[in-house]
Amino acid sequence: MTYDAGHYDVIVIGAGHAGVEAGLAAARRGAKTLMLSLNLDLVAFMPCNPSIGGPAKGIVVREVDALGGAMGKVIDKTHIQMRLLNTRKGPAVRALRAQADKPLYIKEMKRVLESQDNLTMKQGMVEKVIVEDDQVKGVITETKAAFYAPTVVVTTGTFMRGRVLIGDLSYESGPNNQRSTVSLSEQLEEMGIEMVRFKTGTPMRVNSKTVDYSKTEIQPGEEEPRSFSYETTEFITDQIPCWLTYTNEHTHKVIDDNLGLSAMYSGAVKGTGPRYCPSIEDKIVRFNDKPRHQVFLEPEGRDTEEVYVQGLSTSLPEYVQNEMMRTVPGLENAEIMRAGYAIEYDSVVPTQLWPTLETKQISGLFTAGQLNGTSGYEEAAGQGLMAGINAAAKALDLETLVLDRSQGYIGVMIDDLVTKGTSEPYRLLTSRAEFRLMLRHDNADLRLTEIGYQLGLIPEERYERFQEKKRQIEVEKKRLNKLVLKADEVQAVIEEAGGSPLKDALHAVDLLKRPEMKYEHIDRVSPSEENLSDDVKEQVEIQIKYAGYIKKALEQIDRMKKMDSKKIPDNIDYDAINGLATEARDRLKNVRPLSVGQASRVSGVNPADVSILLVYIEQGNVARVSGE
């Protein structure tokens, strides 16, 4: 028999990277929020690589921060190393990546959660979501506690019917030998939610004392202070290096000789694995022409000897893992502290979700994170934030938030998931974003802080600093537009930059558009009267230097938004539209896009189908077919 354990506005199931952002966002919007976790000692746990960020992913972390999320602030306080990647390339592909102190990250995130108003944390296994007439009413735990709320956010990660595989060993488990969730997955299927089986994996962890680092290459962090959060003012300077080594022909022979023992290749693994993060077995099979593969040795924290062996993700038996590892320079005498493993789990087919991340079948039921078919802590955090924002909105009758593809990588990811779906664990890449020049690491605050403030997620003091930054950028751009530089004033800095000399005077903006010129060159000749931050100077340079490309991107965005503004009525009958291809008809009925723009991005819908749909809607046929 159940007992009434409490009433809330939002209940979040799970406290991984999606769950913590969902809980914080909902609470900060004013919703009385409950977060239920299997283990309160492992909130925001990193079961795989000890890092945050990287290409596209690092930009998501900055977007989460710009919308008032926690991930950026917490990693800024707890990292052991930070680097800005792709500095020699254009601004569209630059991104931060930080090595995390895993135990410290958990400790700091738990502190943030426990200090948040409106948020209650409890440890418990949810066995059932209470649903009446296709509407969420709450949840029931295995201890028979019934918690009631009009909205529930499920963020169970890889725990749904999780199964760990190491060679021929197989057992039910979530990551890090935690309990898996079985009954909840079964209930979702019973409610008509389609699930799919995915797989991911992790490498062994070794004892740092047994590694010979003299045979590896040092990978230090950057000396220049960096941060994910726009609120960070104190920086960690005592960074810890990572180390690089490589596999070789001996490593590959050990893998080849034992390939049939791998859970991946013995047939034991049924789920689909991530294409962009393959196991070492997969690398050897798919890239058998490569003589070696990179192996990064990444410390898991300041106060632990565990080292993550990035690049050797595997499901081979433990004794083979030992044999394989000892062929790698520097790891000849390394001792495994935790063996690598593969894990299979259930995921929700994400085309069953609205862009708010609410399920189409059950009102008030939201899902976020790896449960939706993604891979990576950052993708999970972005979804969790959006699900929390929208669950609170539904519970409190507030404004919902859907980011479009021009506003953020979070918008790209969610649109991809709910519109196209995914046949493998989804990973964000810069190539997925058609407007990537606009979705940069450096301008996440300019894109999203205003939205975060309007939703009540950004404090007043931070918003005022943001407004001042915007003002300074515009003032300085106007100054450089008017500023005329004489040839003799700038000849020295042009020569230093390797540019061709000036013959006549030139406006500062035109000089700055030269590829070799930077804002600092202009600043030395004619500095601003204001004390501008490096962030402001960076924005001024990028916005001026790439003005032509930005203008073209804005024109493309305008065309996309016009298509997205053409809404598709809820009562549309796709079977009544003559001329639609059969595949397009089936896909449109399945996804139920909200706009013509979204319909154009559905897999299997071609431009001819979009044109037919557009004509059908504009002629007003929807109303006549529905009998209105």
Side-chain angles (χ1 to χ4, degrees):
M1 179 179 292
T2 63
Y3 73 95
D4 189 332
H7 293 249
Y8 298 85
D9 299 312
V10 177
I11 296 173
V12 179
I13 303 174
H17 301 281
V20 297
E21 297 292 355
L24 288 168
R28 288 168 178 170
R29 291 208 79 183
K32 185 181 179 184
T33 305
L34 171 67
M35 180 182 294
L36 290 165
S37 170
L38 283 173
N39 188 341
L40 289 178
D41 293 326
L42 291 175
V43 299
F45 177 63
M46 298 180 186
C48 200
N49 56 310
S51 67
I52 296 289
K57 292 168 175 280
I59 300 173
V60 168
V61 181
R62 293 211 113 195
E63 292 176 354
V64 167
D65 181 75
L67 287 167
M71 178 176 270
K73 299 181 188 66
V74 174
I75 191 61
D76 284 351
K77 289 184 178 180
T78 61
H79 67 270
I80 61 175
Q81 182 191 119
M82 190 175 289
R83 302 172 70 185
L84 183 63
L85 308 180
N86 298 327
T87 53
R88 295 182 181 179
K89 298 181 180 179
V93 293
R94 292 173 197 159
L96 272 180
R97 185 176 189 269
Q99 292 297 137
D101 186 318
K102 289 171 71 169
L104 193 57
Y105 188 92
I106 292 170
K107 182 179 179 180
E108 175 62 18
M109 186 63 83
K110 190 178 182 187
R111 185 197 66 78
V112 171
L113 292 165
E114 290 176 342
S115 62
Q116 176 61 50
D117 293 340
N118 296 325
L119 180 61
T120 300
M121 298 172 65
K122 291 182 182 289
Q123 186 163 291
M125 164 82 81
V126 174
E127 287 200 330
K128 182 181 180 181
V129 178
I130 305 170
V131 178
E132 296 177 7
D133 298 324
D134 295 330
Q135 167 67 53
V136 159
K137 299 295 182 181
V139 302
I140 298 173
T141 68
E142 65 181 352
T143 58
K144 306 307 177 188
F147 298 98
Y148 296 95
T151 60
V152 170
V153 184
V154 186
T155 67
T156 48
T158 60
F159 285 81
M160 287 281 205
R161 284 196 284 223
R163 177 168 291 275
V164 165
L165 302 105
I166 307 173
D168 61 0
L169 172 65
S170 171
Y171 56 92
E172 282 190 359
S173 176
N176 200 42
N177 283 333
Q178 296 186 79
R179 298 170 65 192
S180 64
T181 302
V182 177
S183 58
L184 189 57
S185 185
E186 292 174 345
Q187 185 198 7
L188 291 178
E189 285 188 321
E190 290 170 2
M191 291 191 297
I193 294 177
E194 184 183 354
M195 311 290 281
V196 66
R197 199 79 171 152
F198 279 163
K199 166 262 172 191
T200 189
T202 190
M204 66 287 291
R205 277 69 158 176
V206 299
N207 190 324
S208 181
K209 293 179 180 178
T210 63
V211 176
D212 184 354
Y213 290 107
S214 67
K215 296 182 179 179
T216 67
E217 303 169 24
I218 191 169
Q219 303 285 297
E222 275 189 68
E223 292 185 8
E224 184 175 344
R226 304 280 189 187
S227 66
F228 280 101
S229 176
Y230 292 92
E231 293 190 71
T232 297
T233 55
E234 296 181 6
F235 301 91
I236 294 172
T237 55
D238 57 330
Q239 301 192 59
I240 296 175
C242 297
W243 306 85
L244 172 64
T245 184
Y246 297 88
T247 63
N248 52 58
E249 60 182 13
H250 302 296
T251 318
H252 301 181
K253 186 176 188 309
V254 171
I255 296 167
D256 272 331
D257 290 348
N258 293 280
L259 200 59
L261 301 177
S262 164
M264 271 281 297
Y265 285 89
S266 67
V269 171
K270 306 299 182 186
T272 305
R275 182 188 317 181
Y276 301 104
C277 189
S279 66
I280 188 62
E281 299 98 293
D282 230 6
K283 290 179 186 176
I284 301 308
V285 171
R286 289 165 54 189
F287 310 109
N288 57 17
D289 59 322
K290 301 289 185 184
R292 66 179 191 173
H293 296 280
Q294 290 181 326
V295 177
F296 289 94
L297 306 178
E298 302 176 343
E300 297 222 322
R302 296 179 187 276
D303 299 318
T304 177
E305 294 298 331
E306 287 193 70
V307 174
Y308 184 87
V309 188
Q310 175 79 273
L312 289 187
S313 177
T314 182
S315 60
L316 284 162
E318 190 171 327
Y319 73 91
V320 180
Q321 293 186 34
N322 270 295
E323 185 181 354
M324 167 185 67
M325 183 187 64
R326 288 181 174 144
T327 65
V328 178
L331 301 180
E332 295 91 344
N333 298 303
E335 292 182 4
I336 292 178
M337 298 178 72
R338 306 186 200 220
Y341 61 87
I343 184 168
E344 282 191 324
Y345 54 95
D346 286 352
S347 287
V348 168
V349 175
T351 52
Q352 300 168 104
L353 307 174
W354 297 116
T356 58
L357 296 181
E358 184 180 17
T359 62
K360 295 172 181 175
Q361 294 94 326
I362 308 297
S363 178
L365 181 65
F366 295 76
T367 61
Q370 226 163 330
L371 175 62
N372 286 346
T374 55
S375 64
Y377 314 137
E378 305 84 358
E379 288 94 334
Q383 291 176 69
L385 178 81
M386 299 300 288
I389 287 171
N390 290 319
K394 189 173 185 73
L396 303 178
D397 196 25
L398 302 173
E399 181 185 359
T400 59
L401 176 63
V402 174
L403 297 178
D404 67 41
R405 299 180 71 89
S406 70
Q407 292 177 293
Y409 273 93
I410 295 174
V412 172
M413 169 179 60
I414 293 176
D415 186 64
D416 279 353
L417 290 172
V418 304
T419 303
K420 303 174 183 177
T422 182
S423 58
E424 62 188 31
Y426 175 98
R427 175 178 177 173
L428 264 175
L429 302 164
T430 52
S431 59
R432 295 192 190 273
E434 60 271 46
F435 306 121
R436 54 187 168 273
L437 180 58
M438 309 300 293
L439 309 181
R440 304 186 308 274
H441 153 88
D442 61 82
N443 71 349
D445 60 335
L446 298 177
R447 290 185 277 119
L448 299 172
T449 301
E450 185 72 43
I451 296 173
Y453 176 71
Q454 295 299 328
L455 294 175
L457 304 175
I458 297 293
E460 191 69 37
E461 183 183 352
R462 176 175 173 178
Y463 184 66
E464 289 175 2
R465 291 197 306 271
F466 165 70
Q467 291 286 72
E468 175 60 13
K469 176 181 175 179
K470 282 206 308 180
R471 184 197 68 78
Q472 289 183 343
I473 291 169
E474 292 308 312
V475 168
E476 183 62 0
K477 283 166 59 180
K478 288 178 182 177
R479 183 181 80 88
L480 296 184
N481 264 296
K482 294 178 180 178
L483 178 62
V484 177
L485 297 170
K486 296 177 181 178
D488 58 348
E489 291 178 324
V490 293
Q491 224 58 283
V493 292
I494 292 175
E495 184 178 346
E496 179 187 315
S500 56
L502 278 185
K503 294 181 180 179
D504 302 304
L506 190 68
H507 278 90
V509 288
D510 294 321
L511 184 61
L512 189 51
K513 288 177 182 178
R514 288 188 173 192
E516 72 278 3
M517 300 302 293
K518 297 185 179 300
Y519 177 87
E520 65 186 64
H521 296 127
I522 311 292
D523 196 33
R524 277 158 52 188
V525 175
S526 177
S528 167
E529 293 182 0
E530 297 192 62
N531 183 23
L532 302 182
S533 68
D534 289 341
D535 280 352
V536 170
K537 293 175 182 178
E538 180 183 41
Q539 280 308 307
V540 170
E541 179 177 325
I542 289 173
Q543 291 183 26
I544 289 175
K545 191 175 287 290
Y546 295 93
Y549 297 102
I550 290 171
K551 182 181 178 183
K552 289 181 181 178
L554 289 172
E555 290 170 354
Q556 290 178 306
I557 289 169
D558 186 55
R559 288 195 292 271
M560 181 198 74
K561 289 189 173 182
K562 284 179 180 176
M563 291 289 280
D564 282 340
S565 68
K566 298 180 186 299
K567 301 302 180 184
I568 298 177
D570 293 339
N571 57 11
I572 193 167
D573 181 1
Y574 289 107
D575 289 325
I577 305 177
N578 294 325
L580 275 184
T582 302
E583 181 184 9
R585 193 188 311 277
D586 292 342
R587 294 292 179 88
L588 291 168
K589 288 163 67 175
N590 178 48
V591 174
R592 293 157 65 191
L594 300 175
S595 70
V596 175
Q598 187 187 359
S600 71
R601 298 188 292 273
V602 173
S603 299
V605 176
N606 62 43
D609 298 312
V610 175
S611 297
I612 292 168
L613 175 62
L614 193 56
V615 169
Y616 184 81
I617 293 171
E618 289 179 345
Q619 289 180 345
N621 289 319
V622 176
R624 288 199 293 273
V625 169
S626 63
E628 295 180 0

